[in-house]
Amino acid sequence: MASGSGERHFTGSEEAAIDMTTSEKVVDLLNQAAFMSTDDKLTALKQVQELIINKDPSLLDNFLDEMIAFQTDKSIEVRKFVIGFIEEACKRDNELLLKLIANLNMLLKDESVNVVKKAILTLTHLYKVSLQWLVQSKSVSEMQEACWNMVTQMKEEVLALLDSDNDGVRTHAIKFTESLIIALSPRKPDSDVPKKQEGDISLDKIPKDHSYIRYDVLCEEGKSALEQLLKFMVHPAISSINLTTALGSLATLARQRPMFMSEVVQAYETLHANLPPTLAKSQVSSVRKNLKLHLVSVLRHPSSVDFHSQISTLLQDLGMAQSEIARCVPAAAQPRKRSRHEPYSEGKRIKIEPALIEDDEDKEEPAPVVAPKPSTTTGTQSAIDLTADFIRPLLTPENVANLVLISMVYLPEVMPASFQATYTPVESAGTDAQIKHLARLMATQMTAAGLGPGLEQCKARGEEGKEGEGEASMEESSSKDPLIIRKVSAVSLGQAISVVGAYKSQPAEETPQAKKLPEPILPSTQSKAPGSSGRKKVFRLADVVQPLSDSQLEKLTNMAVKRILQAEKAIARSGMSHVRVKLLARLMTQFEGTMKDDMLRFILEDMRTRSDLAFSLLYQEYNQYLSQLPSGSLDSYEHCLFSLLSGLQERPEQRDGLFTKLVLEAPLITESALEVIRRYCEDESRVYLGMTTLKELILKRPSRQFQYLHVLLDLSSHDKEKVRSTALTFIKRMYEKDHLREYIEKFALNYMQLLVHPNPPSLLFGVGEDTEVASPWTEETVRQCLYLYLSLLPLNHRLVHELAAVYTEAIADIKRSVLRVIEQPIRGMGMNSPDLLLLVENCPKGAETLVTRCLHILTDKVPPSPDLVERVRDLYHKRVPDVRFLIPVINGLEKKEVIQALPKLIKLNPIVVKEVFNRLLGTQHSEGSPSMSPLTPGELLIALHNIDSTKCDMKSIIKATNLCFGEKNVYTSEVLAVVMQQLMEQNPLPMLLMRTVIQSLTMYPRLGGFVMNILSRLILKQVWKYPKVWEGFVKCCQRTKPQSYSVLLQLPPAQLISVFERCPEMREPLLQHVRSFTPHQQAHIPSSIMAILEASSRMQEPEPQREPEHMEAMEEREMHPQQVMMPVAQAEPPAPSVTAVHETVPPQSGSIKREEEEPMEEGEADLERLQVVSEATTQQIEALKSEPGTASVPQEKAEEPMETFTKSADAADQPQEEVDSVAEPETPAGEAERSREEED
Amino acid sequence: MPSQPLRVAVVCSSNQNRSMEAHNILSKRGFDVRSFGTGTHVKLPGPAPDKPNVYDFKTTYEQMYSDLVRKDKDLYTQNGILHMLERNKRIKQRPERFQSCKDQFDLVITCEERVYDQVLEDLNSREQETFQPVHVINVDIQDNHEEATLGAFLICELCQCIQHTDDMENEIDELLQEFEDKSSRPFLHTVCFY
């Protein structure tokens, strides 16, 4: 016992363990599945299905909900899987149908056709399963009833899907119908029963006394399904696949339910003669092939024996050989004598009508055995047969010929593919058999069309039969059902032979209702009509109601509308918002008064969500206006639009673009609306949005674009900078559009034209500002007129001429302002602009300042282009000889021209002169490439020295040279050395030479040696002949002592005397200097000089030995190249040396050094030249010695002028008079001195 | 596009040339494809038109290959049969007969009308169970190497188009019409049910 119980316990726990693991596994899989990709999910779910359906069905219920939850999965495949699972689960446990059928119903309405198809397939199986389950239940619960109701409903839905738009869905619906018909019809002994379907439910297994399932209802449903299938097949536009499917289904039906054999064969016959005209050629072949295949399969069925003749005729028509057909006929069928299948009729009634047997027309059939036909199958059979019989004698050659002729009229233009495919030449024309075949063909057509005597008779019989609670035969339906007849007849009406294929569309079905309800409907409508008319007499609305007072009416209306307004949310929930919106819009436009304002306020409260209402209202208003054209008024519309727009405009910042949307979608923008848009644009925070809207309007509403454009243009001179600049940006973009360009341009020019008025027009002031007082132009108002113009200028250079025109007429204040504001746009145009060049070339009178300003702006940063220079030069030479024009392009001129213009230039305002020099010296363009000045700094300075004093006063020249000396980094010691060198070589010597020498020395004391050299050379050039230069010479010697002693010693005695006359204090030091010489050296000093040195007033002969002394000095100079400054006590005279200068200049950066080296080398070269020249001049000097007295120079009063000289050199801003006194070449004082000297 | 790949069967009469060529290409393009023959035997050209080499469906390609090598290596090299068998060996072991295969397909493509008829007959003679539809399309291909290659490409293109339809059953009709126009050869097409 103990062991037994222990063992049981053990097994129990083991089972539990297995349970746990299975269940755990399922949980695990389900959890994983939720997060898996579709493929993995399917794998996991399949595992779960296997586990809970096959391995451990007890778990099925537990995990049902979890599995079904996947029916809402995104993936189609997963949903399809769930359907499969439902099927499996329901098959495993029928009770689950109660739960799952609703889910299947949901999936049947899935959005994916693939899911729907799968659901149909599953329903095909589950329909039978559920029927069987119910049939087996002893008592049917309410739940089961509900379940079955739903199944029945779903069945109807699937049947309705025969009309689906989707080919595949229809195909599945056909298969469902097939299976349904088989289930809802009884299995008979001669039925083919597929092995696997042996257990399936069929009508014969349903007890007729079942508590819930009603045999007769199901039977009717089955028949109705067959009807639908047959009806479906004759649809003229049926697709080839549907047709193929239906053909197969019919064959299945015929074999499994032979009682339908006649319907099937007849359907085949009809189809064969009426292939849908929509089929393509290859589809016709496919369908015919299928038809053949299925006919053969039907033929093989023993129960088809009665239809062999029809079937073989069809097969022959399809191209099958007689022998082949014979092979397909089952041997058992040939001598068939056994009992026919029972006539299929519902319920217990099996009635054989003798009349039908009489109608039997099978005599002609080739079937070997002619047996009495069962009554029911002959139903239509006989209808066709009867008609065929009726037709046959009528088919005389004459009649046939007529028929052919008549039908010719109906032939289509092109031969239909179906005809082409089915046409076989008639081999046995005119034979009895052929006539019989033809008669039968026609009879088929006529019966299908609801015509012919056979049909009439059958119908009569049908009526008869119906008395006895409905006749069994299916064909009956076609005679009983008026709708079907109408439809079919419509199909074949316009054609003699259906192969012609000129089908017409058919009306919709609704057969089942029409079948049952035709009779009862009529009496009820008849009784209704008199009833209502009778009531009309009694009941008059006016009798029972009182008219409301106006105020009541209004109140009620208002309240009604308010209710609709307030019902917003409730209606939205019901999904009928659009109806409410439409309703409100309609109502509003019909009522005047405060209601509209209320509604507008309501909309504005939450414009975002109520925008559809707003639009609807707006359109309705506009519509109203249109409908009343031409007398209609826009007021109402305008009010609506205006209120909405200003409502939005006054609201705080919103980023939802509703304003834009409203503007752009409004059918018409009225003046006031435009005003609101303008206000919107003026709001700095929304200016961009506003102008974008405006832009859209301009571009998308071409009919009034200029009106909109005008607003935008107006804004371009707005006070607020942001508004203005945004407007300008937009306008510039629009200016690119050709059709807008002219308007914009005109506007801009008009605005600029305002500048010619003496006072700013009131237009320039915002609305409301009182401007009747003629206020003067201000910078601000001038700018206002120019904003738009100036922003267009760089886009269209041609406009610049207009500016010039306006400029000449404008007053001075405006001119000044204009000159200030044009900088940016002119620079934008650039000096290559042909229009600017043209302006320069033409230079309208009065616009010179403008042109000059333009030139300055253009050349401010970049050197002038040759083109520009050319124009300016032309202008200067031919039309306006104002030298100021040349300044901007001065660097583009040639050297000669510059030199020519210099006298005029330096006479200008000092600031201007400074600028000119800056340009010439390249000190202006700090950035960019060094300007290509036509003059080197040295050349400039030389040019200044050479200016003809008749053309320019000395004062200006001195100021100009001072400017040069101011640029210390341009005028380096090297440059100055070269300048001095060159000046010195000129003949006559420039008046300012010594001034420059002294100034150079002041700037660069290390030039001392070089200056000594210059001085020596000047002696050779008999410097004393140029009074001003001589004066400077002496002054220079004075300043450079003791270096200059050696120079002084070179002077001829007369000149030395002149020196001492001017500065007597020099004599003693010079004497001391000489005395410090060695005796040998002293021997070289001519006695005449010594005499002068020792006695100041004595005149001496020039010393003949000067030359060697001079040569010696030169040698000495070369011997001491390093010495720049000599101490006073030193015996040797200091030697000016260019090399020394060169070496003392500290090397700077490489590039600069290279630049400097060039002039340096030049300097050296010049020095060498100088030496050569000086050798030559010494000879000249010797020649001059013969006339000693001539070189005498006044020596007094040299001090004062030289002082002023240096002073002015130190400070450029020296008072003019002092400089003048020095610069004046011939002073009365000088004259006086000279005369005094002569007296001496 | 349906998320699951189409299950395709290509069928000719001996499962040697046309169906195998298509099988080869389709499998390279990633289709779930199988190939079959519908004949009662596998026939390969022999030394004379009336003396074919006949095998049953159990014979592997390898065995056929060695058999032919043994018989006349030069002849069968020259007419490409050995090369074809070589290719077939790489794809599967032996030919398969359509009628003996109980697996389900979405699409069956036949290579000549006779084969199409046989496939239809077979499918229709089976007992219906699931009502799962299978589309059968016939593409006429002559039984030689060149045509087989061309035909295989046509089949492949067709399959790719079908695979890319959103709703195959709804669009296949139109698609086939287009293909007919394009390739100017008629396609037989029908649907059967498992």
Side-chain angles (χ1 to χ4, degrees):
Chain A
M1 276 304 283
S3 69
S5 72
E7 198 181 316
R8 211 184 315 145
H9 180 72
F10 179 69
T11 5
S13 70
E14 193 182 40
E15 271 165 13
I18 291 166
D19 275 353
M20 280 299 284
T21 49
T22 310
S23 151
E24 268 173 9
K25 208 170 166 189
V26 170
V27 170
D28 191 41
L29 282 168
L30 283 171
N31 283 340
Q32 285 174 17
F35 301 102
M36 279 173 167
S37 68
T38 301
D39 287 345
D40 296 341
K41 195 185 282 182
L42 280 174
T43 319
L45 290 177
K46 275 176 191 156
Q47 285 176 19
V48 175
Q49 171 170 338
E50 179 61 27
L51 288 173
I52 64 179
I53 289 183
N54 294 330
K55 186 166 184 220
D56 189 358
S58 65
L59 291 173
L60 185 52
D61 209 37
N62 285 356
F63 293 106
L64 198 60
D65 291 351
E66 285 77 3
M67 285 295 274
I68 296 301
F70 285 99
Q71 74 168 321
T72 54
D73 195 274
K74 285 197 302 294
S75 156
I76 291 171
E77 292 307 320
V78 173
R79 279 182 272 157
K80 279 168 76 177
F81 167 80
V82 171
I83 296 175
F85 171 77
I86 290 176
E87 179 176 342
E88 292 308 315
C90 290
K91 280 180 177 167
R92 164 67 63 178
D93 180 0
N94 292 347
E95 292 287 334
L96 290 178
L97 275 167
L98 296 176
K99 286 183 184 174
L100 296 183
I101 199 71
N103 296 89
L104 184 61
N105 189 33
M106 274 172 66
L107 289 160
L108 190 57
K109 297 171 179 67
D110 196 274
E111 58 191 5
S112 158
V113 287
N114 288 324
V115 176
V116 172
K117 284 190 273 193
K118 175 75 182 167
I120 296 174
L121 274 185
T122 292
L123 187 65
T124 309
H125 300 292
L126 286 188
Y127 184 83
K128 290 187 275 193
V129 171
S130 56
L131 182 57
Q132 187 145 27
W133 174 53
L134 279 172
V135 166
Q136 283 161 1
S137 312
K138 296 251 159 47
S139 60
V140 177
S141 69
E142 263 179 47
M143 295 261 285
Q144 280 175 310
E145 276 180 32
C147 173
W148 178 246
N149 282 341
M150 179 157 262
V151 171
T152 311
Q153 188 197 324
M154 285 160 75
K155 176 209 77 180
E156 292 298 334
E157 277 161 15
V158 175
L159 286 178
L161 285 177
L162 283 174
D163 291 323
S164 162
D165 290 336
N166 186 291
D167 214 16
V169 171
R170 288 197 300 265
T171 307
H172 282 80
I174 294 168
K175 291 310 277 184
F176 174 81
T177 312
E178 170 197 322
S179 159
L180 183 73
I181 295 168
I182 290 179
L184 296 183
S185 57
R187 189 183 290 173
K188 299 284 171 172
D190 57 350
S191 294
D192 272 359
V193 179
K195 282 197 195 77
K196 284 177 184 154
Q197 290 170 24
E198 257 170 3
D200 279 11
I201 188 85
S202 58
L203 196 60
D204 54 301
K205 290 181 187 154
I206 295 171
K208 286 168 182 145
D209 55 353
H210 192 270
S211 59
Y212 182 67
I213 301 294
R214 291 192 53 193
Y215 183 94
D216 50 344
V217 172
L218 290 184
C219 179
E220 273 306 321
E221 281 178 4
K223 281 193 277 182
S224 150
L226 179 61
E227 267 171 46
Q228 289 193 45
L229 184 58
L230 291 172
K231 202 172 63 187
F232 178 78
M233 261 189 65
V234 297
H235 192 289
I238 188 168
S239 77
S240 82
I241 286 299
N242 285 169
L243 193 53
T244 314
T245 314
L247 288 175
S249 291
L250 288 184
T252 310
L253 284 175
R255 279 187 284 114
Q256 295 196 21
R257 297 293 179 264
M259 69 279 259
F260 296 131
M261 191 68 80
S262 87
E263 287 86 352
V264 170
V265 172
Q266 200 193 348
Y268 283 162
E269 274 186 308
T270 312
L271 176 83
H272 175 243
N274 294 289
L275 276 181
T278 48
L279 296 187
K281 202 169 159 228
S282 62
Q283 290 176 331
V284 169
S285 335
S286 301
V287 169
R288 281 166 61 87
K289 208 176 251 297
N290 261 294
L291 188 55
K292 196 159 105 188
L293 186 75
H294 295 310
L295 276 170
V296 169
S297 82
V298 171
L299 188 63
R300 287 199 172 120
H301 193 274
S303 305
S304 70
V305 65
D306 298 331
F307 304 95
H308 277 179
S309 85
Q310 288 101 312
I311 295 174
S312 4
T313 312
L314 280 173
L315 282 172
Q316 268 174 307
D317 278 356
L318 289 168
M320 203 164 168
Q322 185 70 52
S323 57
E324 233 179 310
I325 299 171
R327 246 186 286 139
C328 294
V329 178
Q334 309 287 61
R336 197 161 158 224
K337 258 292 180 183
R338 65 181 172 107
S339 66
R340 305 267 167 249
H341 56 264
E342 295 204 332
Y344 172 45
S345 63
E346 65 221 87
K348 312 105 225 188
R349 269 166 212 279
I350 298 161
K351 192 167 93 188
I352 300 173
E353 287 165 52
L356 291 184
I357 303 169
E358 280 163 33
D359 287 337
D360 194 354
E361 292 290 331
D362 270 359
K363 284 164 270 179
E364 295 95 0
E365 285 183 3
V369 179
V370 178
K373 293 214 102 188
S375 60
T376 41
T377 46
T378 50
T380 330
Q381 205 73 20
S382 38
I384 293 176
D385 291 346
L386 281 172
T387 312
D389 257 8
F390 168 77
I391 292 172
R392 234 177 86 197
L394 298 175
L395 291 177
T396 62
E398 198 185 342
N399 277 344
V400 171
N402 281 337
L403 275 175
V404 169
L405 285 177
I406 293 167
S407 61
M408 284 295 188
V409 181
Y410 298 105
L411 289 180
E413 304 265 319
V414 185
M415 194 186 289
S418 56
F419 180 83
Q420 218 171 347
T422 55
Y423 176 75
T424 40
V426 183
E427 281 167 12
S428 50
T431 60
D432 197 41
Q434 199 254 333
I435 293 174
K436 204 167 71 184
H437 185 118
L438 184 58
R440 201 171 164 81
L441 266 180
M442 291 177 73
T444 313
Q445 295 287 335
M446 287 174 73
T447 310
L451 296 170
L455 203 67
E456 302 281 312
Q457 286 182 29
C458 286
K459 201 171 174 184
R461 238 183 290 129
E463 306 277 279
E464 243 173 72
K466 212 165 72 179
E467 287 168 13
E469 213 217 302
E471 174 53 54
S473 87
M474 275 303 192
E475 298 74 23
E476 197 178 9
S477 64
S478 66
S479 54
K480 249 196 312 193
D481 181 359
L483 270 175
I484 285 185
I485 290 170
R486 207 179 312 131
K487 177 187 85 187
V488 177
S489 62
V491 163
S492 44
L493 254 186
Q495 55 187 57
I497 298 172
S498 58
V499 286
V500 166
Y503 286 102
K504 288 173 183 167
S505 67
Q506 57 175 45
E509 45 339 303
E510 287 182 52
T511 325
Q513 281 166 350
K515 197 158 99 186
K516 282 180 180 167
L517 300 175
E519 288 306 303
I521 284 175
L522 262 175
S524 73
T525 45
Q526 272 166 358
S527 68
K528 219 180 238 169
S532 61
S533 67
R535 234 178 288 148
K536 205 188 271 170
K537 274 171 195 159
V538 182
F539 177 78
R540 277 215 311 270
L541 189 65
D543 292 345
V544 289
V545 295
Q546 292 292 320
L548 295 167
S549 73
D550 282 354
S551 61
Q552 272 177 313
L553 262 177
E554 200 183 318
K555 198 175 151 201
L556 284 174
T557 321
N558 280 339
M559 280 161 60
V561 171
K562 276 217 181 84
R563 275 194 294 276
I564 302 176
L565 267 185
Q566 303 308 334
E568 191 179 28
K569 281 194 187 123
I571 293 175
R573 269 198 299 275
S574 71
M576 297 305 265
S577 299
H578 58 287
V579 177
R580 168 175 168 272
V581 165
K582 206 166 168 181
L583 188 65
L584 280 173
R586 287 271 174 92
L587 281 174
M588 281 309 144
T589 47
Q590 281 172 26
F591 292 106
E592 292 300 320
T594 58
M595 230 189 288
K596 267 184 200 171
D597 293 327
D598 287 345
M599 172 140 157
L600 288 172
R601 220 172 297 127
F602 175 78
I603 291 171
L604 286 169
E605 272 169 27
D606 187 1
M607 183 70 180
R608 194 186 300 254
T609 55
R610 291 167 189 166
S611 61
D612 50 345
L613 186 55
F615 280 110
S616 190
L617 182 62
L618 196 62
Y619 291 139
Q620 191 64 38
E621 290 280 14
Y622 189 69
N623 203 21
Q624 191 80 3
Y625 158 72
L626 287 183
S627 64
Q628 289 166 4
L629 277 178
S631 62
S633 139
L634 258 181
D635 288 353
S636 187
Y637 168 80
E638 179 158 19
H639 173 72
C640 176
L641 181 60
F642 177 80
S643 311
L644 288 174
L645 286 179
S646 39
L648 283 175
Q649 189 241 325
E650 282 155 15
R651 242 144 232 282
E653 173 95 16
Q654 285 170 328
R655 299 196 182 276
D656 46 19
L658 269 176
F659 185 85
T660 309
K661 190 166 178 241
L662 190 59
V663 169
L664 295 182
E665 292 185 13
L668 185 73
I669 298 293
T670 61
E671 287 294 334
S672 59
L674 199 53
E675 197 44 52
V676 182
I677 297 172
R678 190 197 162 100
R679 285 213 301 273
Y680 197 85
C681 290
E682 286 171 349
D683 180 343
E684 277 168 301
S685 59
R686 309 192 235 194
V687 57
Y688 189 82
L689 193 59
M691 289 197 187
T692 312
T693 310
L694 200 52
K695 182 195 89 185
E696 291 291 304
L697 265 187
I698 292 167
L699 297 181
K700 295 189 175 156
R701 303 270 178 101
S703 63
R704 311 180 72 171
Q705 61 185 179
F706 292 121
Q707 202 185 337
Y708 309 134
L709 185 56
H710 196 92
V711 174
L712 187 57
L713 290 168
D714 253 358
L715 291 171
S716 71
S717 56
H718 199 270
D719 300 337
K720 293 180 184 164
E721 202 275 330
K722 192 173 171 194
V723 175
R724 194 172 61 223
S725 59
T726 315
L728 287 174
T729 316
F730 275 92
I731 291 171
K732 273 195 264 181
R733 231 179 286 159
M734 261 174 255
Y735 189 65
E736 288 157 14
K737 308 222 181 305
D738 286 335
H739 60 289
L740 299 177
R741 174 179 289 241
E742 196 188 349
Y743 191 88
I744 297 174
E745 222 166 85
K746 221 165 92 190
F747 188 95
L749 294 180
N750 279 342
Y751 234 75
M752 186 172 66
Q753 285 292 338
L754 297 176
L755 292 176
V756 304
H757 296 293
N759 289 305
S762 54
L763 180 67
L764 293 180
F765 301 99
V767 192
E769 272 179 63
D770 184 14
T771 54
E772 55 190 64
V773 191
S775 53
W777 282 100
T778 61
E779 177 90 20
E780 194 44 47
T781 44
V782 172
R783 278 170 187 267
Q784 230 178 317
C785 294
L786 287 171
Y787 284 129
L788 180 56
Y789 170 81
L790 291 178
S791 61
L792 295 185
L793 193 53
L795 301 178
N796 184 357
H797 296 179
R798 265 186 305 110
L799 296 174
V800 78
H801 305 296
E802 306 285 342
L803 178 67
V806 170
Y807 184 83
T808 52
E809 288 181 52
I811 58 167
D813 278 348
I814 294 179
K815 281 186 179 158
R816 261 195 297 280
S817 301
V818 170
L819 293 183
R820 265 196 289 275
V821 294
I822 57 169
E823 171 159 359
Q824 209 53 42
I826 293 288
R827 185 163 291 154
M829 290 167 76
M831 66 177 73
N832 292 324
S833 159
D835 284 293
L836 261 185
L837 290 177
L838 192 64
L839 177 72
V840 172
E841 194 177 318
N842 293 338
C843 186
K845 207 161 167 46
E848 290 86 354
T849 40
L850 178 71
V851 172
T852 320
R853 172 76 181 140
C854 290
L855 290 174
H856 275 280
I857 292 168
L858 290 175
T859 58
D860 191 25
K861 296 261 159 60
V862 277
S865 66
D867 248 3
L868 188 64
V869 174
E870 189 51 40
R871 307 286 163 127
V872 176
R873 186 184 285 140
D874 262 19
L875 179 67
Y876 175 70
H877 287 305
K878 294 180 186 152
R879 301 191 39 223
V880 196
D882 185 336
V883 77
R884 279 174 295 180
F885 277 124
L886 294 180
I887 298 172
V889 298
I890 197 148
N891 285 341
L893 295 175
E894 285 170 21
K895 189 169 172 177
K896 194 180 71 191
E897 290 173 307
V898 178
I899 293 172
Q900 219 165 21
L902 263 184
K904 283 185 187 168
L905 285 170
I906 57 175
K907 272 192 281 188
L908 297 170
N909 171 319
I911 299 167
V912 180
V913 179
K914 172 82 177 146
E915 196 209 321
V916 171
F917 275 67
N918 281 344
R919 283 174 185 270
L920 283 175
L921 298 177
T923 47
Q924 174 197 31
H925 308 296
S926 45
E927 79 251 31
S929 56
S931 66
M932 291 292 115
S933 173
L935 293 180
T936 62
E939 283 170 335
L940 174 64
L941 197 51
I942 292 169
L944 286 174
H945 283 87
N946 290 335
I947 287 173
D948 187 350
S949 55
T950 57
K951 282 187 190 154
C952 183
D953 59 322
M954 199 50 75
K955 193 167 77 178
S956 302
I957 299 175
I958 289 174
K959 270 201 271 179
T961 52
N962 283 346
L963 283 176
C964 292
F965 287 117
E967 298 295 343
K968 232 181 151 176
N969 44 358
V970 175
Y971 288 94
T972 56
S973 53
E974 293 79 15
V975 173
L976 289 175
V978 173
V979 168
M980 287 186 276
Q981 183 89 43
Q982 292 194 350
L983 287 177
M984 188 203 72
E985 282 164 26
Q986 285 180 6
N987 209 2
L989 288 170
M991 195 178 294
L992 291 178
L993 170 64
M994 282 319 292
R995 185 181 178 279
T996 299
V997 171
I998 293 171
Q999 208 150 6
S1000 302
L1001 196 58
T1002 316
M1003 276 167 72
Y1004 303 104
R1006 63 176 180 222
L1007 278 176
F1010 180 74
V1011 167
M1012 290 311 112
N1013 199 356
I1014 294 278
L1015 293 179
S1016 312
R1017 226 80 60 88
L1018 282 174
I1019 294 169
L1020 297 181
K1021 291 194 84 178
Q1022 302 187 330
V1023 62
W1024 44 87
K1025 287 181 180 166
Y1026 308 89
K1028 276 287 163 193
V1029 183
W1030 176 240
E1031 197 177 306
F1033 181 91
V1034 176
K1035 183 74 193 163
C1036 185
C1037 291
Q1038 190 180 11
R1039 287 170 67 96
T1040 53
K1041 63 185 179 183
Q1043 271 177 290
S1044 58
Y1045 291 159
S1046 59
V1047 175
L1048 286 174
L1049 287 177
Q1050 293 170 32
L1051 281 170
Q1055 274 66 42
L1056 193 60
I1057 292 168
S1058 165
V1059 169
F1060 290 149
E1061 274 169 7
R1062 284 169 191 264
C1063 11
E1065 76 280 357
M1066 295 255 298
R1067 192 183 59 86
E1068 197 54 33
L1070 186 58
L1071 183 62
Q1072 293 305 317
H1073 175 70
V1074 172
R1075 287 201 174 132
S1076 67
F1077 286 178
T1078 58
H1080 175 75
Q1081 279 175 326
Q1082 282 187 20
H1084 284 290
I1085 306 292
S1087 56
S1088 57
I1089 298 294
M1090 283 306 293
I1092 293 166
L1093 287 175
E1094 280 156 7
S1096 60
S1097 58
R1098 252 193 298 163
M1099 295 287 273
Q1100 295 287 332
E1101 284 295 306
E1103 185 55 46
Q1105 284 110 322
R1106 274 192 67 82
E1107 192 184 343
E1109 198 272 341
H1110 180 71
M1111 293 303 281
E1112 190 186 32
M1114 297 284 276
E1115 281 162 24
E1116 279 169 2
R1117 206 185 303 142
E1118 282 166 15
M1119 282 167 62
H1120 307 279
Q1122 307 281 5
Q1123 283 174 305
V1124 180
M1125 297 291 279
M1126 276 287 193
V1128 184
Q1130 195 159 336
E1132 308 294 323
S1137 164
V1138 173
T1139 44
V1141 171
H1142 173 53
E1143 280 173 20
T1144 47
V1145 171
Q1148 290 162 2
S1149 74
S1151 61
I1152 294 173
K1153 193 181 170 192
R1154 218 187 312 120
E1155 279 171 21
E1156 283 175 349
E1157 267 167 11
E1158 208 181 334
M1160 298 287 273
E1161 279 160 12
E1162 250 173 62
E1164 279 179 318
D1166 283 353
L1167 275 186
E1168 278 164 15
R1169 227 186 305 141
L1170 180 79
Q1171 285 171 0
V1172 175
V1173 170
S1174 54
E1175 276 165 2
T1177 43
T1178 41
Q1179 288 161 1
Q1180 285 179 334
I1181 289 171
E1182 278 179 351
L1184 284 171
K1185 279 176 194 164
S1186 52
E1187 32 188 15
T1190 49
S1192 71
V1193 162
Q1195 295 185 350
E1196 299 169 6
K1197 299 277 272 176
E1199 191 80 278
E1200 203 205 330
M1202 285 314 271
E1203 260 174 19
T1204 33
F1205 201 102
T1206 43
K1207 249 191 259 169
S1208 68
D1210 291 338
D1213 293 334
Q1214 197 69 25
Q1216 305 285 312
E1217 295 81 36
E1218 288 179 7
V1219 183
D1220 284 357
S1221 65
V1222 184
E1224 218 61 61
E1226 303 283 355
T1227 56
E1231 296 275 11
E1233 280 163 27
R1234 192 175 290 167
S1235 57
R1236 216 187 310 156
E1237 195 186 87
E1238 280 163 5
E1239 280 169 16
D1240 285 354
Chain B
M1 184 179 151
S3 53
Q4 285 192 333
L6 284 178
R7 294 166 296 176
V8 183
V10 197
V11 190
C12 68
S13 81
S14 287
N15 196 198
Q16 288 283 9
N17 182 23
R18 294 165 293 183
S19 57
M20 286 307 277
E21 182 74 32
H23 187 160
N24 189 25
I25 289 181
L26 283 172
S27 61
K28 277 182 190 161
R29 303 282 166 91
F31 281 92
D32 178 2
V33 61
R34 290 181 62 184
S35 57
F36 299 96
T38 50
T40 44
H41 292 95
V42 175
K43 285 183 192 163
L44 288 172
D50 57 339
K51 286 184 231 159
N53 291 298
V54 180
Y55 304 95
D56 65 11
F57 273 88
K58 289 194 194 76
T59 320
T60 64
Y61 292 121
E62 179 68 58
Q63 287 162 342
M64 296 179 204
Y65 186 88
S66 28
D67 183 47
L68 293 183
V69 167
R70 187 176 46 78
K71 280 181 180 161
D72 187 346
K73 189 175 179 190
D74 286 348
L75 172 68
Y76 297 112
T77 308
Q78 199 204 337
N79 65 11
I81 300 293
L82 289 179
H83 180 260
M84 180 182 79
L85 284 167
E86 188 88 40
R87 191 256 334 263
N88 294 353
K89 276 195 301 189
R90 284 197 297 271
I91 295 172
K92 58 183 187 181
Q93 207 181 12
R94 56 166 66 87
E96 291 169 273
R97 189 155 189 262
F98 184 75
Q99 287 88 335
S100 325
C101 172
K102 297 302 162 205
D103 295 333
Q104 298 192 359
F105 299 98
D106 298 310
L107 184 61
V108 175
I109 292 180
T110 60
C111 298
E112 67 174 89
E113 193 166 336
R114 197 170 47 84
V115 175
Y116 174 81
D117 291 341
Q118 284 167 340
V119 166
L120 248 56
E121 203 180 332
D122 174 61
L123 287 173
N124 277 301
S125 68
R126 297 185 190 181
E127 282 182 6
Q128 290 188 29
E129 235 180 306
T130 61
F131 296 110
Q132 193 69 45
V134 51
H135 287 259
V136 186
I137 298 172
N138 180 56
V139 179
D140 269 326
I141 302 171
Q142 282 177 38
D143 198 357
N144 62 48
H145 296 308
E146 294 75 29
E147 286 294 318
T149 309
L150 292 176
F153 276 111
L154 183 66
I155 289 174
C156 182
E157 201 186 342
L158 184 63
C159 288
Q160 277 173 332
C161 285
I162 293 175
Q163 175 80 67
H164 280 90
T165 52
D166 288 325
D167 182 359
M168 165 197 169
E169 285 195 277
N170 204 27
E171 293 170 45
I172 193 165
D173 250 3
E174 220 165 303
L175 197 72
L176 282 173
Q177 292 302 314
E178 274 173 38
F179 258 83
E180 275 192 357
D181 292 345
K182 220 162 65 179
S183 63
S184 58
R185 54 172 111 192
F187 296 135
L188 293 169
H189 169 216
T190 193
V191 63
C192 296
F193 298 87
Y194 286 108

